[in-house]
Amino acid sequence: AIMMSLKYFLTVILVILPSRCTCLSQEGPACSRRRWMQRSMEGAVATAGAASTFGVSSSASAAPPIAVIAEELGYFPVQNREGKVMYVPKKVQRQSTDQAIELAKKMKEKGVSMYGAFWCPHCSRQKELFGKEAWSYIDYVECSPKGYGFKGTCKNVDGYPTFRDKRGKIVFSGERPLEYLAQQVGFKDFDPSLEGEVPMVGTACKLRQ
């Protein structure tokens, strides 16, 4: 019901413009453009919901450019049952190694959670480092009020991603190689040479309002 042709049109038009924005700041033309795109998407989703309510037909047969939206922003909008626009991060694409899966299981056993935000590119990169199979074991906490699954449980988190266990013995921020995470949870058999290259490994994202 929310996939209207207006949203498709806005997406295609907006994504052809240049885009470079980090989560260190929201200021500047590039970041302003990304906010404009996000707000346009919100408006398009809201318009689609209204059109559905009043029985206006949509171009249901058109191919939804969700992949285009996710590639541009790293996330895409959905409308919940209350009519509020929320954002869902794109799915992890990379295959996990067996040891990455074992690492994720050890992190889960030790109660280590990853705190992040749907809009944070470094959080997206961290997920790709794990790979999709391993990521399914990670306890992820969404810290943005507009992110899908937000529960308001991100106190004392000042950067994304942040890793923290329930006892406070493991606390660090920043996008980290799996070898580093393995060291933190005592996974001594982890072999970094078995992991494929994942470019653009960065640092923690500063909080934004």
Side-chain angles (χ1 to χ4, degrees):
I2 67 172
M3 304 301 181
M4 297 294 291
S5 58
L6 175 60
K7 185 175 70 173
Y8 302 160
F9 175 76
L10 284 171
T11 302
V12 173
I13 293 299
L14 290 168
V15 298
I16 63 175
L17 298 175
S19 171
R20 289 185 299 176
C21 179
T22 70
C23 51
L24 297 178
S25 173
Q26 279 189 297
E27 303 305 322
C31 291
S32 296
R33 175 204 165 271
R34 287 174 67 85
R35 288 200 303 274
W36 174 52
M37 180 177 183
Q38 180 174 311
R39 290 168 184 169
S40 297
M41 287 293 91
E42 291 178 1
V45 172
T47 300
S52 176
T53 299
F54 290 101
V56 179
S57 62
S58 64
S59 300
S61 60
I66 292 300
V68 177
I69 301 173
E71 186 65 28
E72 170 69 5
L73 295 176
Y75 52 88
F76 57 90
V78 296
Q79 191 175 45
N80 63 18
R81 294 180 179 179
E82 290 73 37
K84 183 179 180 180
V85 176
M86 305 296 288
Y87 292 92
V88 179
K90 68 177 182 180
K91 293 182 179 180
V92 179
Q93 301 297 316
R94 184 169 176 262
Q95 296 287 332
S96 300
T97 61
D98 290 341
Q99 66 176 3
I101 296 173
E102 184 65 24
L103 170 60
K105 289 180 178 179
K106 287 183 178 296
M107 292 177 66
K108 184 175 182 179
E109 290 173 0
K110 291 184 176 294
V112 178
S113 300
M114 176 177 144
Y115 295 78
F118 71 87
W119 48 261
C120 176
H122 298 302
C123 298
S124 297
R125 297 303 305 170
Q126 187 70 67
K127 294 176 184 179
E128 291 297 334
L129 284 171
F130 280 109
K132 58 185 179 181
E133 294 85 3
W135 179 249
S136 66
Y137 291 98
I138 298 297
D139 178 35
Y140 174 70
V141 182
E142 176 60 53
C143 294
S144 173
K146 289 189 176 182
Y148 183 81
F150 172 72
K151 296 181 180 179
T153 55
C154 299
K155 294 182 179 179
N156 301 319
V157 175
D158 60 1
Y160 304 136
T162 286
F163 293 88
R164 189 168 66 191
D165 68 351
K166 296 179 180 179
R167 296 179 297 174
K169 291 186 176 182
I170 300 177
V171 181
F172 52 89
S173 295
E175 185 181 331
R176 306 282 181 160
L178 298 189
E179 180 183 13
Y180 180 87
L181 298 178
Q183 293 171 354
Q184 301 305 306
V185 297
F187 186 7
K188 297 181 180 180
D189 295 330
F190 188 88
D191 183 358
S193 67
L194 299 179
E195 297 299 313
E197 291 293 328
V198 178
M200 297 177 63
V201 175
T203 56
C205 300
K206 299 298 183 181
L207 285 177
R208 69 180 189 176
Q209 301 298 323

